[in-house]
Amino acid sequence: MTMIRRSWLSAAAVAALLLVSAPAAQAQSADVQRSFRAFLDRDIRPAARAQGVPDSVLDDALGGLTPDMSLPDLVKPGDDGAVAEFNAQAEFKSPAAYMSEKALAGTAARGRALLAEHRAVLARIEAAYGVPAPIVVAIWGRESAFGTADIRHDAFRVLATKAHLSRRKAMFREELLAALRIAAEGHLPASKMRSSWAGALGQPQFMPTKYLQLAVDFDGDGRKDIWDSVPDALASIANYLRQSGWQPGRDWGFEATIPAGLSCATEGPDVSRTIRQLVSAGAARVSGRPFPERELAGTGHVLMPAGRFGPAFVATPNFYVIKAYNNSDLYALFVGHLADRMAGAKPFRAPWQTPPGGAMTRGDVYRMQQRLVALGYDVGSVDGLAGFKTRRSIGAFEAKSGRPETCWPTPALARSLG
């Protein structure tokens, strides 16, 4: 009887709290709506008009717009500003999940068919920009499932919400203004502009500023149509990579064995050696074949996107050009490996392992980064993402404390950092 009464009281208490909190939540929502409208009317509309966007486009794009509070990475009223515990973006989740062999094999098979189907236009694109067709098609596949993905968000709602409430307000404000210019210039009506949850557009998933800078009309119809024209979409991808520094004639990288004597803490694009020097230090291709002669004098970098718990690579500068498209090691690796698979390469030789103690959340990594920074290590951005600077700082800390170098965040390492 007592237990039943306690349960009833608990339920009543919860109900009372909900009754109290509901008006507060409604008031907060109304405050957000008002501030959102004020932001659009007092900031975005005048700024867009100054860039030549007519009121008719502003009304089509922004009229009646409400913030989308379901989007990830927003700083909502009452938030404490702490980083989210879990990652919303696939590229920064588990390496093993992202590099699913099933997904890679299926995407590669479809990619090979599309390489054949669009052979003529891809040959012209490769001749014009120097970017291999498989790399272009791999990005196409990763970004929009070769143009078949259902991209359903209202681009203006996404960009306006993030310009008002995200952690990167200034960046998304610029993107929102660029999207308004796209509509004003007649590339696509505002009513038809759909995007990802991050505001990326079309088959290549360009942010609006990148569209204005890098989209091309390759089919010659007078429009830079990355939404419905395959030649325009593919050529725009190639132009993006070439303008980002793609080196024609070089590969993106090679899966390799990196011996213990070649420290994982030497990873990164800012640590450069020739591939010949890396070979002298013990790096070797897992295939057993030598590195191509044309590559030996070129710059190479150690790449270990899962530390010692996954495949290792010798990357060329072109790997980091792919990263310019999406700033994730796993993304660039997926694209490079997928391109190789289209050309007949085998799956990764080394497995993607689960680190001892299991995976860590983004919040766990964020707190680890804070402790490493306090100890004087350079982790890059303290953002909860295990980028190359965080990985090599972990390796340097492990070596200094007499631990085996893994260059990867683990629960045991977090405990040792205190």
Side-chain angles (χ1 to χ4, degrees):
M1 184 71 176
T2 302
M3 292 178 66
I4 293 173
R5 180 172 175 78
R6 285 177 178 169
S7 295
W8 180 84
L9 287 171
S10 177
V14 170
L17 285 171
L18 289 174
L19 287 172
V20 171
S21 62
Q26 290 170 356
Q28 185 183 82
S29 175
D31 287 344
V32 170
Q33 297 281 354
R34 281 192 293 270
S35 65
F36 182 71
R37 289 308 319 171
F39 166 67
L40 295 180
D41 293 340
R42 298 173 189 171
D43 181 355
I44 297 303
R45 280 179 177 267
R49 288 190 190 105
Q51 294 184 15
V53 179
D55 282 342
S56 58
V57 170
L58 292 173
D59 291 341
D60 286 345
L62 306 180
L65 211 59
T66 59
D68 184 350
M69 303 304 289
S70 70
L71 296 173
D73 295 331
L74 301 183
V75 181
K76 301 175 184 178
D79 285 356
D80 60 7
V83 69
E85 286 295 318
F86 296 97
N87 298 328
Q89 191 168 341
E91 285 78 11
F92 300 107
K93 293 183 179 180
S94 159
Y98 193 81
M99 295 295 175
S100 160
E101 174 54 28
K102 181 178 180 181
L104 276 162
T107 308
R110 177 66 178 140
R112 280 192 290 273
L114 289 167
L115 278 170
E117 179 180 341
H118 299 290
R119 181 181 294 109
V121 71
L122 284 165
R124 291 196 297 118
I125 289 170
E126 189 166 339
Y129 299 102
V131 181
I135 291 287
V136 172
V137 172
I139 289 178
W140 186 31
R142 183 69 239 181
E143 291 294 340
S144 65
F146 307 109
T148 66
D150 182 11
I151 302 170
R152 61 181 63 188
H153 290 278
D154 180 326
F156 292 104
R157 191 180 188 209
V158 168
L159 293 168
T161 300
K162 287 183 170 286
H164 184 52
L165 292 170
S166 79
R167 298 175 191 279
R168 295 180 290 169
K169 293 182 178 67
M171 185 202 89
F172 281 104
R173 180 182 182 276
E174 183 181 3
E175 297 297 346
L176 174 58
L177 292 171
L180 290 166
R181 285 177 55 199
I182 290 171
E185 292 173 9
H187 300 291
L188 193 73
S191 61
K192 293 186 177 180
M193 201 174 296
R194 295 291 179 264
S195 76
S196 70
W197 62 261
L201 308 173
Q203 295 186 40
Q205 286 290 274
F206 277 11
M207 294 303 289
T209 54
K210 293 301 183 186
Y211 173 89
L212 291 173
Q213 295 167 14
L214 299 169
V216 297
D217 171 21
F218 204 74
D219 61 13
D221 69 351
R223 294 181 61 231
K224 300 174 182 180
D225 183 5
I226 65 171
W227 295 275
D228 296 314
S229 167
V230 169
D232 287 5
L234 297 181
S236 295
I237 292 170
N239 187 44
Y240 192 121
L241 295 177
R242 186 58 189 270
Q243 296 302 319
S244 298
W246 184 271
Q247 298 180 10
R250 294 208 66 184
D251 210 314
W252 67 269
F254 308 86
E255 187 179 354
T257 55
I258 305 295
L262 188 49
S263 172
C264 58
T266 62
E267 180 185 2
D270 52 351
V271 181
S272 299
R273 286 157 287 193
T274 65
I275 291 182
R276 181 176 283 108
Q277 288 172 323
L278 289 170
V279 170
S280 297
R285 294 179 68 183
V286 296
S287 65
R289 298 192 299 272
F291 288 92
E293 184 67 30
R294 68 178 187 278
E295 294 283 3
L296 290 175
T299 299
H301 311 275
V302 171
L303 171 66
M304 303 185 76
R308 293 284 182 184
F309 298 111
F313 305 86
V314 169
T316 78
N318 281 343
F319 175 85
Y320 297 98
V321 172
I322 301 173
K323 270 193 73 175
Y325 203 102
N326 182 317
N327 190 27
S328 159
D329 288 330
L330 291 181
Y331 175 91
L333 181 58
F334 187 100
V335 166
H337 182 67
L338 177 59
D340 289 349
R341 294 288 289 276
M342 290 180 199
K346 297 182 182 299
F348 294 114
R349 299 292 182 89
W352 297 92
Q353 304 172 48
T354 299
M360 299 183 64
T361 70
R362 182 170 179 174
D364 292 333
V365 177
Y366 178 83
R367 290 180 284 275
M368 178 181 287
Q369 288 172 324
Q370 289 180 313
R371 292 193 287 272
L372 285 167
V373 168
L375 292 171
Y377 292 94
D378 177 11
V379 302
S381 298
V382 180
D383 54 10
L385 306 175
F388 74 89
K389 287 187 177 181
T390 294
R391 296 196 297 266
R392 70 188 186 192
S393 291
I394 289 171
F397 172 81
E398 288 171 325
K400 186 175 180 179
S401 58
R403 297 167 175 269
E405 292 180 31
T406 69
C407 295
W408 192 252
T410 63
L413 180 65
R415 289 191 295 272
S416 74
L417 282 164

